[in-house]
């Protein structure tokens, strides 16, 4: 659809509202403008953006639409762009509000940032190609999994949410939400419908179609408290894994962890018979243990955590590990082991 390459401009009551959509996600943004004649039209989005980028940052823009053309003028620069009727512009559509929550933009951003990396990518289990938002009591929880790892993060709200509600937000919408929240401060609203989600913030909104499917029972894959616990400096652990990963198998990315009293040994090798090994002092007093993981999964978690130390809970070589910050357990990460 050619019109999906256009942006909808709606000039009304001293303001200009811009809307763009790809039929899955719709973004609207308002800005102040001197409206000489009210109306709506659509302009080629990329061309309009390129024109704006080429002008000085303090330049003003005048847009006059008539006779199927848009005359765009700024100082001595003049452009004539083709337009398409505003009535033909598709909308994601209005929907029946089923719930609405208020949350600080920084907290919603942290929920997304802490979990989105674990979403599946183009998995045939389409419900994994998104982020689960679960509303329960006074808690909003984000969960993402690709079947090999799971990321979970909780935040408390000031309002009671009532019955448990689950929605799956598609990958593209999750990425756009994170970009939108990066420029927000204060409180935002999440409006939930049966098939849609709308994020409302100061001067802008994002509406997305939800994934129609049932998210797996993620609680079943979260191990109970592990028998063995390792506490290590996060930066030192991340650096050690990063160095040993250089010589890991490029396809399987396996790293072997050998635990002894207050010592963690990380070892990797590849088909070229090259090897890497690193010793790290940790806080561990349990029996010796040897277990393998995908080193990329470990690095993803250690990158997204921001605490000084991390805790890794383990049971045996065939059970998943749980990683979290000892200072804040609202974010937890489950990683399945791999045979090496």
């Amino acid at each position: 659809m050619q019109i999906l390459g256009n942006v909808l401009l709606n000039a009304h009551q001293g303001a200009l509202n811009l809307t763009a959509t790809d039929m899955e996600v719709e973004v609207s943004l308002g800005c102040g403008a001197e409206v000489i004649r009210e109306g709506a039209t659509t302009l080629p989005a990329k061309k309009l953006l390129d024109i704006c980028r080429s002008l000085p940052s303090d330049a003003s823009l005048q847009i006059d639409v008539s006779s199927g053309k848009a005359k765009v003028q700024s100082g001595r620069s003049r452009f004539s762009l083709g337009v398409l009727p505003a009535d033909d512009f598709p909308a994601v559509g209005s929907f029946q509000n089923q719930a609405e929550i208020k949350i600080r933009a920084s907290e919603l951003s942290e929920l997304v940032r802490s979990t989105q990396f674990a979403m599946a990518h183009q998995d045939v289990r389409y419900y994994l190609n998104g982020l689960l938002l679960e509303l329960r009591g006074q808690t909003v929880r984000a969960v993402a999994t690709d079947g090999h790892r799971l990321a979970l993060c909780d935040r408390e709200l000031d309002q009671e949410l009532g019955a448990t509600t689950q929605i799956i937000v598609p990958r593209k919408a999750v990425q756009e939400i994170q970009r939108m929240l990066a420029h927000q401060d204060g409180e935002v609203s999440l409006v939930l419908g049966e098939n849609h989600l709308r994020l409302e913030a100061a001067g802008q909104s994002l509406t997305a179609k939800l994934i129609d499917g049932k998210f797996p029972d993620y609680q079943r894959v979260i191990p109970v408290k592990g028998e063995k616990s390792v506490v290590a400096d996060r930066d030192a652990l991340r650096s050690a894994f990063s160095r040993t990963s250089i010589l890991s198998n490029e396809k399987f990315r396996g790293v072997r962890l050998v635990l002894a009293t207050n010592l963690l040994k990380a070892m990797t090798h590849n088909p070229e018979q090259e090897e890497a090994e690193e010793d790290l002092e940790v806080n561990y007093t349990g029996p010796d243990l040897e277990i393998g993981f995908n080193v990329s999964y470990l690095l993803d978690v250690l990158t997204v955590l921001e605490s000084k130390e991390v805790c890794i809970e383990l049971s045996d070589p065939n059970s998943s590990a749980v990683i979290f910050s000892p200072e804040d357990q609202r974010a937890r990460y489950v990683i399945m082991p791999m045979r090496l």
Side-chain angles (χ1 to χ4, degrees):
M1 295 173 63
Q2 181 185 357
I3 201 165
L4 293 181
N6 281 23
V7 58
L8 173 67
L9 278 68
N10 194 334
H12 183 65
Q13 293 183 349
L16 179 66
N17 189 267
L18 296 89
T19 303
T21 183
D22 63 358
M23 299 294 286
E24 293 181 15
V25 179
E26 178 182 283
V27 178
S28 293
L29 175 68
C31 62
E34 180 186 350
V35 179
I36 300 169
R37 187 172 68 252
E38 293 187 352
T41 189
T42 76
L43 300 181
K46 186 177 185 308
K47 293 174 182 175
L48 183 60
L49 177 60
D50 288 343
I51 289 171
C52 292
R53 280 177 169 166
S54 69
L55 295 169
S57 59
D58 60 348
S60 60
L61 208 63
Q62 182 175 323
I63 303 174
D64 183 21
V65 180
S66 60
S67 303
K69 288 287 185 181
K71 295 178 181 178
V72 181
Q73 183 172 341
S74 179
R76 296 184 177 183
S77 302
R78 292 176 295 278
F79 307 89
S80 179
L81 296 176
V83 302
L84 291 173
D87 291 343
D88 295 343
F89 192 81
V92 172
S94 57
F95 58 90
Q96 186 74 30
N97 295 2
Q98 294 187 341
E100 181 175 356
I101 64 172
K102 303 283 188 180
I103 184 171
R104 289 193 61 82
S106 57
E107 296 218 317
L108 181 57
S109 178
E110 187 62 22
L111 277 170
V112 175
R113 188 191 71 84
S114 299
T115 54
Q116 65 171 351
F117 68 90
M119 293 186 295
H121 187 59
Q122 295 182 338
D123 197 299
V124 292
R125 297 165 294 180
Y126 61 94
Y127 44 81
L128 297 185
N129 299 320
L131 184 73
L132 173 72
L133 286 182
E134 181 180 87
L135 312 179
R136 175 185 299 176
Q138 287 186 295
T139 302
V140 57
R141 169 175 289 178
V143 183
T145 180
D146 60 8
H148 303 285
R149 56 180 171 174
L150 180 142
L152 177 151
C153 187
D154 290 336
R155 286 294 181 270
E156 296 298 316
L157 301 175
D158 295 330
Q159 65 188 96
E160 182 67 37
L161 301 173
T164 301
T165 302
Q166 288 189 341
I167 61 171
I168 308 175
V169 186
R171 168 182 288 272
K172 181 182 290 187
V174 171
Q175 294 169 340
E176 293 300 327
I177 286 172
Q178 187 70 344
R179 287 164 66 176
M180 178 174 165
L181 292 172
H183 305 286
Q184 291 293 330
D185 191 20
E187 202 172 57
V188 298
S189 294
L190 275 178
V191 182
L192 311 182
E194 185 176 352
N195 300 307
H196 292 84
L197 165 75
R198 184 166 63 247
L199 173 62
E200 298 176 345
Q204 57 183 311
S205 68
L206 181 148
T207 306
K209 290 183 178 179
L210 300 174
I211 293 178
D212 183 15
K214 183 171 176 58
F215 204 78
D217 183 4
Y218 64 88
Q219 297 276 16
R220 294 176 56 188
V221 304
I222 301 176
V224 294
K225 184 173 177 59
E227 304 162 3
K228 306 168 183 66
S229 179
V230 183
V231 178
D233 181 270
R234 182 184 66 90
D235 285 338
L237 194 60
R238 183 176 61 175
S239 297
F241 287 159
S242 181
R243 285 189 290 269
T244 54
S245 71
I246 295 170
L247 297 184
S248 65
N249 185 306
E250 291 184 5
K251 182 178 181 181
F252 299 107
R253 303 285 287 164
V255 60
R256 188 187 307 276
L257 304 184
V258 180
L259 281 167
T261 302
N262 293 331
L263 178 68
L264 183 149
K265 186 188 295 287
M267 299 179 290
T268 60
H269 66 274
N270 59 35
E272 287 77 41
Q273 306 302 315
E274 297 168 329
E275 298 179 351
E277 185 175 311
E278 183 136 2
D279 292 346
L280 187 71
E281 288 187 12
V282 296
N283 186 348
Y284 177 72
T285 56
D288 291 359
L289 176 69
E290 188 171 319
I291 188 170
F293 291 106
N294 183 315
V295 69
S296 296
Y297 295 168
L298 294 171
L299 287 170
D300 283 343
V301 172
L302 295 174
T303 298
V304 80
L305 283 173
E306 296 180 339
S307 57
K308 177 174 174 53
E309 293 184 324
V310 294
C311 180
I312 306 175
E313 287 187 351
L314 302 156
S315 293
D316 57 67
N318 300 312
S319 299
S320 298
V322 181
I323 306 176
F324 55 88
S325 163
E327 305 157 15
D328 184 359
Q329 297 188 30
R330 292 181 299 175
R332 284 159 285 161
Y333 303 91
V334 180
I335 301 179
M336 289 178 61
M338 63 186 298
R339 295 184 183 275
L340 296 175

